[in-house]
Amino acid sequence: GRYQVTEGIISPVNDDYGKKGLVSARHRIAMAKLALETSDWIRVDPWESEQKKWTETVKVLRHHYNESLRSLQSTKEFTKNKQPIERSTEDSLSYQQPVLPELKLLCGADFLQTFKTPDLWKEEHIKEIVERFGLVCISRAGSDPAKYINESDLLTKFQHNIFLVKEWVQNEISATQIRYALRRGLSVKYLLPDSVIAYIAHHNIYTEASERKNEGDLLQPLKLHKTVNPLND
């Protein structure tokens, strides 16, 4: 009851991220769009994947937040130029003083644990994410988000902006396990939308070769940290 959700944004990561088995962004975007055909509030945004290089998460959040502000400003300009026949004082105030949007990073509860991975995150970025934006963490079996928060002074300080959501209907579908099944020619019927299954089959996306992509490579944030810290070599 604290918020009115206006939309959900799926932002596929840039190909340059370097994760093992990461297929081309054009395929990931196409599959996400197919999966969201029946959604009236979630959309896929290709901006992050279209950048020339991998973009840090906090910068992606800044981009989408600024876009939401621009959209709000456009709406205000549109309504300002309209000439309503009658409007009460209360309505007039609501037109003049719209509520500023907020942007939250939606994640699984295990995501919080990645903040402890050495060199994966910059401390100032974690602070900006939890202080300025906030997190919505969905519970997952085997993860204890409250424990992760308690073990971090920074997360504890801003825990008022970290919303823990209990998933009463557990869904343990794993993308890794689905790729595993696809590589072995096993059925993933009912685990993915039929349109996505058809797309994967048509483009022969998940194979032994695709799973070896970026094998032995470092994730881009770890590469960047290694570049600026040559003493670690």
Side-chain angles (χ1 to χ4, degrees), residues 55-104:
T55 305
E56 292 161 308
T57 300
V58 72
K59 295 178 182 178
V60 177
L61 290 171
R62 291 172 193 162
H63 163 78
H64 288 301
Y65 182 70
N66 289 335
E67 286 298 300
S68 68
L69 290 181
R70 270 192 282 271
S71 176
L72 178 66
Q73 185 62 37
S74 297
T75 302
K76 284 173 62 179
E77 291 297 327
F78 176 74
T79 54
K80 190 197 310 183
N81 293 332
K82 292 177 68 177
Q83 297 296 326
I85 298 174
E86 288 185 23
R87 185 178 296 144
S88 67
T89 302
E90 184 178 346
D91 287 342
S92 298
L93 289 174
S94 67
Y95 262 71
Q96 296 169 10
Q97 300 174 343
V99 176
L100 288 177
E102 292 189 33
L103 182 70
K104 308 292 184 188

Side-chain angles (χ1 to χ4, degrees), residues 97-116:
Q97 300 174 343
V99 176
L100 288 177
E102 292 189 33
L103 182 70
K104 308 292 184 188
L105 179 60
L106 179 66
C107 60
D110 52 337
F111 174 83
L112 294 178
Q113 198 171 17
T114 70
F115 286 152
K116 297 172 60 178

